Amino acid sequence: MGKLDGQVALISGAARGQGEAQARLFAKEGAAVALGDVLEEDGQRVAESINDTGGQAMFQKLDVTEVSSWQSMVEETVVQFGRLDVVINNAGIARVKLIEESTLEEYLEVIRINQVGVWLGMQAAIPALKEAGGGCIINTSSTAGLEGYSGLGAYVSSKFAVRGMTKVAAQELGRYNIRVNSVHPGPIDTPMIRDPQIARRDTDDFGLSAPIPRVGHVDEVAAMMLFIAADATYSTGSEFVIDGGVTAGSMIARAND
């Protein structure tokens, strides 16, 4: 028996990184998974791999900035699997640039994907979740939705917005038995963090100043997502932080140093 037997989960940004790990874990726990991403070749590969190992998966190209793309994604998920129970808004990008040096278009590129994409995903999924009698929306924010980081003005703006709209959606949808929560990963070993623009030093350096002195793994974030979807049945409008203690405070000195 899996924790998600009989349920259907739609995951954006599922072609690699955190989204791929979530899709694989949810399928392992019995859910049928719909993978959406602009990376078609990678997304098809992941879906086929899940199906080849006994799971149920489909892939469809999803541009999270487009209303019609989201509508088509939700509709096809329901056609293929009969219902929709869990939505994970996972797609996102980061750009490193000082506010003074940024253009409006560079700022809006991040906002459209990270912020508007989440808003559109929730909006498109609500009717299907209501039809299923309730469900769960999980919005991927970041520790950048809890505190600021120099050079990441657009990213921080978008992730704070995700945190806020999650709380609004939780208030609006609770009466329909739809829970809405945000997840706030810290440094996680993904293609995003290894982008030369972001990873200007060895990836492991990102986590060395945290109480747990390492970067996190995508499987650890997936486990958090599973807990929220399957077990955290009285949590909504909440922030689930998975950051190795990065936001616990500054480590000025250690007792054993």
Side-chain angles (χ1 to χ4, degrees):
M1 292 287 290
K3 288 188 172 185
L4 298 175
D5 283 349
Q7 296 194 41
V8 177
L10 189 165
I11 304 171
S12 73
R16 62 182 188 178
Q18 292 180 181
E20 176 182 354
Q22 293 155 23
R24 292 186 183 280
L25 179 60
F26 277 43
K28 183 179 178 180
E29 290 292 337
V33 290
L35 289 67
D37 208 304
V38 293
L39 302 175
E40 294 183 75
E41 185 174 334
D42 289 339
Q44 290 284 7
R45 172 187 56 79
V46 176
E48 290 170 5
S49 174
I50 291 171
N51 288 327
D52 289 344
T53 54
Q56 297 182 75
M58 58 159 276
F59 171 79
Q60 180 164 308
K61 183 178 180 180
L62 172 64
D63 180 345
V64 297
T65 69
E66 296 290 338
V67 173
S68 60
S69 188
W70 264 116
Q71 291 174 338
S72 176
M73 184 79 214
V74 172
E75 289 170 3
E76 187 60 27
T77 299
V78 174
V79 167
Q80 289 282 336
F81 298 128
R83 58 186 294 128
L84 180 60
D85 301 282
V86 180
V87 176
I88 301 180
N89 283 303
N90 180 73
I93 63 170
R95 298 287 185 263
V96 178
K97 210 158 194 183
L98 297 176
I99 292 172
E100 183 181 12
E101 298 172 355
S102 299
T103 66
L104 176 59
E105 187 51 44
E106 288 169 335
Y107 177 81
L108 290 177
E109 178 192 22
V110 177
I111 296 299
R112 289 188 188 105
I113 294 172
N114 295 7
Q115 178 178 333
V116 177
V118 170
W119 191 88
L120 291 177
M122 290 195 293
Q123 185 182 59
I126 288 169
L129 293 171
K130 286 183 177 179
E131 183 67 24
C136 176
I137 299 173
I138 306 173
N139 295 326
T140 303
S141 181
S142 168
T143 53
L146 302 171
E147 58 185 16
Y149 298 114
S150 176
L152 289 172
Y155 186 76
V156 169
S157 297
S158 69
K159 293 304 185 178
F160 263 85
V162 168
R163 176 187 174 196
M165 73 175 77
T166 294
K167 294 183 180 297
V168 174
Q171 293 178 338
E172 294 179 355
L173 301 177
R175 72 191 70 180
Y176 304 110
N177 194 34
I178 300 171
R179 296 180 293 112
V180 191
N181 293 286
S182 58
V183 172
H184 299 258
I188 307 297
D189 189 5
T190 65
M192 178 186 289
I193 205 173
R194 290 187 177 279
D195 187 310
Q197 184 184 202
I198 298 170
R200 294 176 178 174
R201 54 186 182 271
D202 184 80
T203 302
D204 287 342
D205 288 350
F206 279 100
L208 289 181
S209 62
I212 300 176
R214 62 171 176 82
V215 295
H217 303 301
V218 292
D219 291 343
E220 293 173 308
V221 179
M224 175 70 84
M225 298 294 194
L226 177 63
F227 169 74
I228 297 169
D231 298 315
T233 54
Y234 196 53
S235 293
T236 195
S238 298
E239 295 137 353
F240 291 81
V241 181
I242 176 167
D243 68 348
V246 167
T247 56
S250 299
M251 295 182 67
I252 298 173
R254 298 181 181 178
N256 294 327
D257 285 351

